[in-house]
Amino acid sequence: MAEQHNTHSKAQEEHEEHIGIPGYLVIFGILVVGTILTYFVATIDLDWIFPGANTLVALLIAFTKMTFVVLYFMHVRWQSRLIWLTALSGFFWLAIMFAFIMQDYLTRTSGTFTN
Amino acid sequence: MAHAVDTHEHHYHPPGLQHQFEDMKQQEESVSIGMWVFLVQEIMFFGGLFTVYLVFRSRFPMAFAAGSNHLDAFWGGLNTLVLIVSSLTMALTVYYAQKGNRNMQVILIILTMFFGTVFLGVKAIEYTDKYNHGTVPVDGWNKRIPEGGTQHSSPAEHSTLTLPFETKASAADAEPHESEAVHPNPQGRFRIEDKDLELVKQAQEGNYLTGSEKIGYFSNGQGSLPNGQIDEAKFRDKVRIFFWIYFVMTGLHALHMIIGLGVMLWLLWRAWLGSYTAEYFSPVETAGLYWHFVDIVWIFLFPLLYLLGRHFLHGGGH
């Protein structure tokens, strides 16, 4: 990313249009399709694959939608590495929180919530 | 220091540039970093709630599925689309701010605010529906539906359990609605329906309950109930956990929307004055980052709250 920026002239950078209106409409279309897909996939029973497959598919679609929003609507694709790092750190710490808390709860005996 | 002052006096200086930055590029990046650090904090803030969701759902998946099936996936899906449209108008606002097009900025900010308001309106419809059907997770905070559907069946309860925002007449007003007449709720309690119990029975017969569920739904203090009998009150309390999570998460998300609308109002005023040009548009970009973040939270809330139990219905509607 940094090298790429250096090859741009200052004037080019100031008038950077990112992906323009057609590009934004394409991203919008992807998000709408993803939403409709989430809705209909949820009505199909995928438990024959493995229990909880529905949730996995729903989350995969949600992550895809989020990636498009972050990269294009939030312009992270054209930002410096420092902003990439900042954005990714949020998800990194979130993953640590999920992992450490669940390694506790999933290894407890089931007697904890009896009431 | 003296040199810096000198530079400012003799060289061209973009109008939006603060004195501590070298140029607009550096200033824009600093603003973006600051906003992203705030958003990372927001990720952790909502992340705590998602962790609560993860812990309880991994324990009591059928109670969550039963609770989820009380939510209306149509309204949730519609709201997802409404937020995506508002994200598009927000992204286009930034686009036109970068071009210094004042009129398009104003129009698109108004559109963004319109869709944000539609979202909150749909939320209000949904919350009202939860109140009417007794799925607000606090006993006494739901609509009171008298026994037998007559107004004077239990006057004592009506006189003591009228909410502040209700008149006694409206509290006692038993709508001649068939399903409500069948399920009276004179004290406005949190309640579940027979179909929720059937869902658990189905899971019990299919033998796919978790260990926590076997203890949490089917036992008392002494051990399992005879003949695989369910303890309805204990199961209801697990569904209640789902509705607490639903109201806290969607409520905090709605609060973010309200704050976002306030930010948009300020942005509208500044854009109206023509403050943003191709050289200076950081506030629009920053407000956009916030708006898109709130959209992303909803992208996850929609499938995790509204859709998680749909596939158990086998094609049946709500």
Side-chain angles (χ1 to χ4, degrees):
Chain A
M1 285 302 285
E3 291 84 350
Q4 216 178 357
H5 271 284
N6 291 338
T7 59
H8 281 227
S9 75
K10 202 174 162 59
Q12 274 177 316
E13 275 181 359
E14 275 172 5
H15 296 283
E16 208 164 12
E17 284 189 9
H18 302 311
I19 48 175
I21 292 176
Y24 283 127
L25 290 175
V26 168
I27 303 300
F28 170 71
I30 291 170
L31 295 174
V32 170
V33 169
T35 304
I36 295 168
L37 195 66
T38 312
Y39 185 90
F40 284 105
V41 166
T43 59
I44 303 165
D45 193 348
L46 300 177
D47 275 347
W48 58 270
I49 304 172
F50 60 87
N54 280 87
T55 303
L56 186 74
V57 171
L59 282 177
L60 282 178
I61 298 171
F63 267 106
T64 310
K65 286 165 74 183
M66 178 188 72
T67 308
F68 278 107
V69 173
V70 169
L71 286 183
Y72 294 97
F73 281 1
M74 296 169 96
H75 305 145
V76 167
R77 190 179 158 186
W78 298 277
Q79 300 283 16
S80 67
R81 282 181 178 169
L82 190 54
I83 287 181
W84 278 81
L85 189 67
T86 313
L88 285 174
S89 73
F91 297 98
F92 179 69
W93 290 111
L94 195 62
I96 289 179
M97 179 156 71
F98 287 164
F100 283 15
I101 286 180
M102 289 319 285
Q103 65 87 23
D104 180 3
Y105 277 102
L106 290 178
T107 51
R108 287 188 193 193
T109 55
S110 54
T112 317
F113 292 94
T114 49
N115 292 309
Chain B
M1 199 59 201
H3 177 73
V5 171
D6 196 43
T7 326
H8 278 194
E9 280 171 0
H10 296 286
H11 291 272
Y12 171 69
H13 179 292
L17 184 64
Q18 302 291 307
H19 68 89
Q20 68 269 34
F21 296 110
E22 293 287 328
D23 52 32
M24 291 308 285
K25 189 83 196 157
Q26 193 202 13
Q27 176 172 316
E28 277 166 31
E29 188 174 331
S30 303
V31 170
S32 283
I33 289 276
M35 191 60 195
W36 269 103
V37 170
F38 172 72
L39 292 184
V40 168
Q41 177 276 134
E42 288 274 76
I43 289 171
M44 297 312 284
F45 172 73
F46 277 102
L49 294 165
F50 279 109
T51 310
V52 172
Y53 174 94
L54 188 61
V55 167
F56 281 108
R57 189 178 162 190
S58 67
R59 297 252 146 185
F60 305 113
M62 295 319 288
F64 269 56
S68 172
N69 285 340
H70 282 276
L71 302 179
D72 195 326
F74 168 76
W75 286 121
L78 182 74
N79 253 355
T80 312
L81 293 176
V82 165
L83 269 195
I84 287 171
V85 176
S86 81
S87 257
L88 174 70
T89 57
M90 188 66 235
L92 292 177
T93 308
V94 178
Y95 173 84
Y96 281 110
Q98 286 168 328
K99 293 204 170 291
N101 186 333
R102 172 187 170 270
N103 290 348
M104 283 308 285
Q105 274 179 71
V106 169
I107 291 168
L108 285 164
I109 291 171
I110 290 172
L111 276 176
T112 309
M113 291 180 74
F114 169 74
F115 288 114
T117 313
V118 169
F119 177 90
L120 289 173
V122 171
K123 251 346 317 140
I125 292 171
E126 288 189 75
Y127 280 3
T128 309
D129 187 61
K130 300 292 154 286
Y131 166 75
N132 286 334
H133 289 90
T135 45
V136 176
V138 181
D139 287 337
W141 287 15
N142 288 290
K143 182 173 185 170
R144 279 160 301 280
I145 300 157
E147 299 279 353
T150 53
Q151 283 194 344
H152 306 291
S153 59
S154 49
E157 278 169 355
H158 291 146
S159 61
T160 52
L161 285 164
T162 307
L163 287 175
F165 50 84
E166 264 188 341
T167 64
K168 284 184 183 181
S170 76
D173 180 27
E175 287 175 21
H177 198 282
E178 204 178 328
S179 67
E180 287 169 356
V182 177
H183 299 289
N185 191 10
Q187 295 181 319
R189 291 208 164 129
F190 175 76
R191 61 182 187 179
I192 54 172
E193 290 168 21
D194 293 342
K195 65 174 183 176
D196 304 323
L197 296 171
E198 279 161 26
L199 192 66
V200 181
K201 285 271 179 228
Q202 186 189 316
Q204 188 189 25
E205 282 155 20
N207 197 27
Y208 49 94
L209 292 167
T210 65
S212 301
E213 285 181 305
K214 285 174 188 159
I215 296 167
Y217 311 155
F218 296 100
S219 72
N220 57 24
Q222 275 69 51
S224 295
L225 294 171
N227 307 323
Q229 211 184 330
I230 188 164
D231 186 331
E232 205 177 312
K234 284 177 77 177
F235 175 67
R236 186 173 61 233
D237 281 347
K238 307 306 182 285
V239 181
R240 199 194 295 264
I241 293 172
F242 172 82
F243 276 99
W244 269 113
I245 290 173
Y246 166 77
F247 274 101
V248 170
M249 292 191 89
T250 58
L252 279 171
H253 180 269
L255 181 66
H256 277 75
M257 291 294 298
I258 292 165
I259 292 168
L261 285 175
V263 171
M264 286 296 146
L265 200 61
W266 169 79
L267 205 64
L268 179 63
W269 173 241
R270 293 290 308 275
W272 181 265
L273 296 175
S275 309
Y276 305 122
T277 61
E279 282 181 323
Y280 175 66
F281 55 85
S282 274
V284 188
E285 171 89 16
T286 311
L289 288 178
Y290 179 83
W291 194 267
H292 296 310
F293 170 79
V294 177
D295 182 24
I296 287 173
V297 173
W298 188 261
I299 284 175
F300 283 93
L301 285 181
F302 171 55
L304 289 179
L305 293 176
Y306 288 79
L307 300 178
L308 69 99
R310 310 298 295 177
H311 63 282
F312 290 118
L313 297 177
H314 295 295
H318 173 62

